[in-house]
Amino acid sequence: PAEIQAIANVVNTAYDIGKNEVAKPVGLVPKTNMVDHKAVNWCAKDANFWIGHNFNNRLSESIQKTVIDNGMILGLGREEVGVILKDNLNAYYNKTDAYWKGLAATVINRARCFGGVSVMEQAMVEEYEILAMMDERTSPFCRMMDGHIFRLGDAVKARDDMLNASDPEE
């Protein structure tokens, strides 16, 4: 109904004002022109990208270069990077738009997570806690994860297992 939409508009506006006028100026929200160099480095190191059951170094390098140049350096979103991946690779691998967008998001998210794990490992962190921004936009999964504490060693092992995988089943 109109009342619910009006309330949602007010809450969204308040959220945006808080993020842009309060959090960004003091560094609590990254500015959009910042490049996460640790994530870029991990993406460049991680050569395990495949489409379906197809894997080879040229395919991985093409995915890496597209995601790093367009998603991580230029700051394009997963939809835009997905379109570029589709333009570059769809002639060889006929997939849906959702597939290409998902591939772009997966590569970027994995690189950011691996970069974060690497930083915590270098800082000799033993545990980390998930703290969700609890508002109307918070997903049920993020609500469930809020407050959970994890051992960094488990994240390091998962990262290393993924980096050492030679096919999707691994």
Side-chain angles (χ1 to χ4, degrees):
E3 297 86 18
I4 293 175
Q5 186 58 50
I7 292 168
N9 289 342
V10 169
V11 170
N12 287 337
T13 300
Y15 179 88
D16 289 339
I17 290 170
K19 179 177 75 175
N20 294 321
E21 303 299 323
V22 178
K24 267 189 184 179
V26 297
L28 295 176
V29 177
K31 294 174 176 59
T32 56
N33 63 350
M34 293 177 69
V35 175
D36 184 343
H37 293 285
K38 288 175 183 59
V40 169
N41 291 339
W42 270 106
C43 190
K45 275 176 48 177
D46 186 357
N48 291 335
F49 301 114
W50 44 75
I51 297 175
H53 292 287
N54 299 298
F55 171 81
N56 65 50
N57 287 338
R58 284 185 44 197
L59 172 61
S60 289
E61 289 168 8
S62 176
I63 294 169
Q64 285 170 321
K65 181 168 180 22
T66 299
V67 170
I68 289 171
D69 292 351
N70 297 285
M72 301 176 126
I73 304 295
L74 293 179
L76 299 179
R78 63 183 179 198
E79 290 186 27
E80 295 91 350
V81 175
V83 168
I84 296 168
L85 284 169
K86 180 180 179 180
D87 289 346
N88 292 342
L89 299 169
N90 203 51
Y92 307 103
Y93 308 99
N94 187 18
K95 301 288 186 181
T96 65
D97 290 347
Y99 180 90
W100 296 112
K101 181 173 82 171
L103 178 61
T106 298
V107 174
I108 291 169
N109 288 338
R110 183 178 1 169
R112 288 191 177 137
C113 288
F114 287 178
V117 168
S118 177
V119 168
M120 288 189 289
E121 187 178 30
Q122 289 171 1
M124 296 185 283
V125 170
E126 293 180 12
E127 296 179 329
Y128 60 96
E129 181 178 6
I130 302 295
L131 299 174
M133 174 68 74
M134 302 299 270
D135 60 19
E136 81 285 350
R137 297 179 184 198
T138 308
S139 71
F141 180 78
C142 290
R143 287 181 187 282
M144 179 195 72
M145 294 298 292
D146 186 53
H148 279 70
I149 297 172
F150 298 91
R151 292 179 337 143
L152 184 63
D154 294 337
V156 169
K157 181 179 179 338
R159 178 202 62 200
D160 293 346
D161 287 350
M162 290 173 82
L163 289 172
N164 293 321
S166 60
D167 62 53
E169 283 72 35
E170 283 186 41

